[in-house]
Amino acid sequence: MTSTAAPRTSRTSTGRRETRTKRTLYAVGGGGAFLVFTVPLAWAMMRSLQPGTVIVAAPDRATFFHLTLDNFRALVSGPNNLLGAVANSLVVALGTAVLTTVIATAAGYGFARFRFRSAPLLFALVTASMMVPFQAILTPLYLQMNLMRLTDSLVGLVLFYTTVNLPFGVLVMRNSFSTIPRELEDSAHIDGASTLRIITSVLRPLITPGAATVALYAFLAAWTEFLGALTFLTSRDLYTLPVALVNLQQGAYGQINFGYLAAGSVIAMIPCVVLYVGLQRFYVAGLASGAVKG
């Protein structure tokens, strides 16, 4: 009896040590990742509350913690028109997220449920387009949109961003629909539900992680994109936030107010952080479902 209990006790102590080691490694890794992501954010926030003269001056304990909201007040009330740029970016990013999610959901459902001869080829073309950077086709896109009178327009910019983000959205939504059993749709069809009603009522809770992933990806891509906005927009009143920040960085007569620039960067990152934290669980679940081969 004693010889039997000894190995069990040894295995139990070994298991406890392994569990303690895993927890320690998890805590160290999680703490390191937390510092890597939060320290730059906290530093940027502190710099945005400091005057530009303090930022460029040598470190001084007397003035380093002199925090003020003057940078944000100047960006809101000054001639920089940053609030207008924020509003333009919100319109473009929200419009891109909604339009991309709707079209990607419809296309993903078609690729996952409808069987036709050219479906594999079309889906391969859609996914292959993800490997082509939009910078390579920016000139023909500009010529086409200019011919359609969609340049210098927020609507045209929304259509441009939607086109660029659609391949990823179609991939995620197609794989999300592929993980759902067909029996759910068959039962709804027997009850007389239409395809649109099935997607919006029956399948909606199951595809929410994938749709949230597509929406978040499209929003962040449109919110932070610079080159397309700089190319398609010429009116200063239509500038998005990245273009306005670059103009702010150039300064006047070669002088840059780094306090204004830090405050503008903080304003730009707030929606990204809030959306990612709020949709994190959907984002992770959506990427996991998008990784499943249908």
Side-chain angles (χ1 to χ4, degrees), residues 256-280:
I256 303 175
N257 191 317
F258 289 97
Y260 292 174
L261 189 59
S265 301
V266 169
I267 294 175
M269 75 179 181
I270 287 176
C272 301
V273 174
V274 172
L275 276 179
Y276 182 79
V277 172
L279 300 178
Q280 182 181 12

Side-chain angles (χ1 to χ4, degrees), residues 88-163:
N88 293 335
S89 289
L90 282 176
V91 171
V92 171
L94 290 175
T96 301
V98 172
L99 189 59
T100 302
T101 304
V102 172
I103 298 178
T105 301
Y109 181 83
F111 279 118
R113 290 295 186 255
F114 299 149
R115 293 290 179 262
F116 48 96
R117 182 175 300 177
S118 59
L121 177 60
L122 290 177
F123 186 71
L125 291 176
V126 171
T127 54
S129 63
M130 296 174 59
M131 296 181 288
V132 180
F134 79 89
Q135 293 86 350
I137 57 175
L138 190 59
T139 299
L141 279 176
Y142 177 82
L143 295 176
Q144 181 178 1
M145 293 183 66
N146 188 44
L147 183 64
M148 300 171 61
R149 301 180 183 275
L150 290 175
T151 55
D152 200 24
S153 169
L154 296 182
V155 175
L157 198 59
V158 169
L159 295 177
F160 167 69
Y161 288 152
T162 301
T163 303

Side-chain angles (χ1 to χ4, degrees), residues 197-216:
R197 180 64 181 274
I198 292 174
I199 295 176
T200 56
S201 299
V202 179
L203 302 182
R204 179 180 53 80
L206 302 177
I207 64 173
T208 296
T213 300
V214 175
L216 180 60

